[in-house]
Amino acid sequence: MGLQKSQMCLKSGANGTAVAEFILLGLVETPGLWPAVFVLFLFAYLVTVGGNLSILAAILVEPKLHTPMYFFLGNLSVLDMGCITVTVPSMLGRLLSHKRTVPYAACLTQLFFFHLLAGVDCFLLTAMAYDRFLAICRPLTYSTRMSQTVQRILVAVSWACAFSNALTHTVAISTLNFCGPNVINHFYCDLPQLFQLSCSSTQLNELLLFGLGVLMAGAPMILIVTSYIHVAAAVLRIRSAEGRKKAFSTCGSHLTVVGIFYGTGIFSYMRLGSVEASDKDKGIGILNTIISPMLNPLIYSLRNPDVQGALRRVLMGKRAFA
């Protein structure tokens, strides 16, 4: 009865009737499971923020990590904390308050920041692949081609492109009419789910999502693959087995993160219009916004003695101050 009442929550706008708020069903609809979900995702949030803050602290305290690769990794850690903060705290708040409604403006704001941070992620992962290409294939000119100025320009351009993409999608979806129903079978607001609820044509929006998706994800993916084809060719020319292992070890973590990020992203956005896939979308959303940011610190610290040593010093320092 409460759900039906909320579905009728409409406001009168200049262009007719519009939805005033959306209802996010969340991960589970059974109230008895909400406390367990709350504890689980609060733990995931704290682990993610703690892990990424530890990576940032390690990069700051360890002189060996003051390199372009770790400069980009530090930025990636900030993005990971941002991505999970955009979605999880609001979900936890709804579980505590037992309110599943989200105002229209708050839904679009969440959508904007989610696409902003995910877009920066795309370009930052590309910059990291370019860094590995220069380090392995162009070692003699690496220091000049990847100077501090170049690093800052790459990060600034990443933010500018991602901002333009996120703003375009947010403005485009604000032109759609939502006249009911307003129930989203997800735990955060995103484009595919909102397309399903619109009572006006979303054909232009879907074309925009596909076209910008090619620019924002397709082009970076091509650059990453091209970079690693050159890297693999260069590494295979190294005669020493130890040398090949060392060269590949610097790329393995990045490739793992790229695989998780792009794999889940492509699966999520290339299946527009599939209502039956809503529950699967929740799983993909968990991978995108929670599992991936939580795993990244572990992936980059595993089998990396410099990061492990720096993390130990950070933890010892904390104990010393305690």
Side-chain angles (χ1 to χ4, degrees), residues 108-160:
L108 263 60
T109 301
Q110 184 181 56
L111 184 148
F112 170 79
F113 281 105
F114 177 75
H115 281 269
L116 171 66
L117 296 169
V120 179
D121 231 329
C122 284
F123 289 109
L124 201 57
L125 290 171
T126 309
M128 293 172 80
Y130 177 60
D131 172 73
R132 291 299 82 209
F133 164 76
L134 290 180
I136 294 171
C137 302
R138 304 287 186 271
L140 298 179
T141 57
Y142 175 70
S143 57
T144 53
R145 291 193 184 189
M146 193 52 75
S147 63
Q148 285 191 355
T149 303
V150 172
Q151 295 167 42
R152 289 166 184 161
I153 289 172
L154 287 171
V155 171
V157 169
S158 298
W159 278 97

Side-chain angles (χ1 to χ4, degrees), residues 279-292:
D279 289 331
K280 292 180 183 177
D281 288 342
K282 292 181 186 180
I284 297 298
I286 292 171
L287 279 172
N288 265 332
T289 64
I290 299 166
I291 303 299
S292 181

Side-chain angles (χ1 to χ4, degrees), residues 53-69:
L53 282 176
S54 298
I55 290 287
L56 280 172
I59 291 169
L60 289 172
V61 304
E62 178 56 72
K64 286 183 181 179
L65 303 183
H66 294 172
T67 64
M69 182 173 72

Side-chain angles (χ1 to χ4, degrees), residues 7 9-11 17-22 104 177-182:
Q7 285 177 327
C9 185
L10 304 171
K11 67 178 180 182
T17 307
V19 169
E21 58 188 18
F22 294 102
Y104 174 84
N177 293 319
F178 295 94
C179 44
N182 64 339

